[in-house]
Amino acid sequence: MVSAVPDSSDKDNVPEFKIERLKKRPDFLACAQAMHCARGAVVIQARARDSEPLVRAGFTATKRIGGAVERNRAKRRMREAARLLLPGLASPGFDYVFVARGGVTVRPWPRLLDDVKSALIRLAADGDGRARDPAHAPPSQD
């Protein structure tokens, strides 16, 4: 398992940029059309916005997750994971939307952090393409 929280020696390598919240529906809809990556109990959507070194993050949980209490718990857990991991793994100038999937409220914390971390790494690697799971990829034309 990969360490979820960077140690103090990693703080020198963390880029300096501000993380703000996405709050308006058009921003969420724009991210929904961009690249995404599903890992475990979370889907992360990422959209390149502009060259301003600002990262914005939004969080959503549908009624499929459960009632208001479960949805709020899911969003709190995703917000904390984002707070820990985005400073080291986010690309400046990107918007990220964290979408809760089933089991996000009961998933062990280290596994949830691993899900978020691997999705962010995948999105950073596929920044110029569309990040998709192999199950959703278009058929290859060999």
Side-chain angles (χ1 to χ4, degrees):
M1 181 173 358
V2 180
S3 174
V5 180
D7 61 4
S8 60
S9 64
D10 289 340
K11 290 185 180 184
D12 297 333
N13 300 332
V14 175
E16 290 295 323
F17 52 82
K18 186 171 171 71
I19 298 175
E20 291 185 356
R21 290 283 304 275
L22 285 178
K23 295 181 181 176
K24 300 198 183 291
R25 188 171 192 271
D27 293 330
F28 281 87
L29 293 176
C31 277
Q33 301 302 315
M35 60 185 168
H36 64 276
C37 185
R39 292 287 184 265
V42 67
V43 175
I44 301 178
Q45 302 164 339
R47 176 179 75 107
R49 194 182 57 261
D50 53 25
S51 61
E52 183 183 349
L54 174 72
V55 171
R56 298 190 306 174
F59 306 90
T60 185
T62 66
K63 286 188 179 180
R64 189 182 318 173
I65 298 301
V69 173
E70 289 84 8
R71 291 194 310 270
N72 289 337
R73 180 177 297 130
K75 289 188 278 187
R76 278 195 308 269
R77 295 186 89 206
M78 291 188 303
R79 273 195 302 268
E80 181 62 14
R83 186 187 70 79
L84 293 173
L85 298 173
L86 277 179
L89 298 172
S91 300
F94 271 71
D95 289 345
Y96 294 93
V97 172
F98 292 73
V99 181
R101 295 173 79 185
V104 71
T105 57
V106 295
R107 193 161 187 87
W109 181 242
R111 296 231 2 233
L112 181 63
L113 288 176
D114 284 343
D115 293 344
V116 171
K117 186 172 187 173
S118 65
L120 287 171
I121 290 170
R122 172 72 185 267
L123 288 169
D126 292 341
D128 54 359
R130 186 158 173 85
R132 290 187 169 263
D133 287 335
H136 299 294
S140 63
Q141 308 225 351
D142 293 327

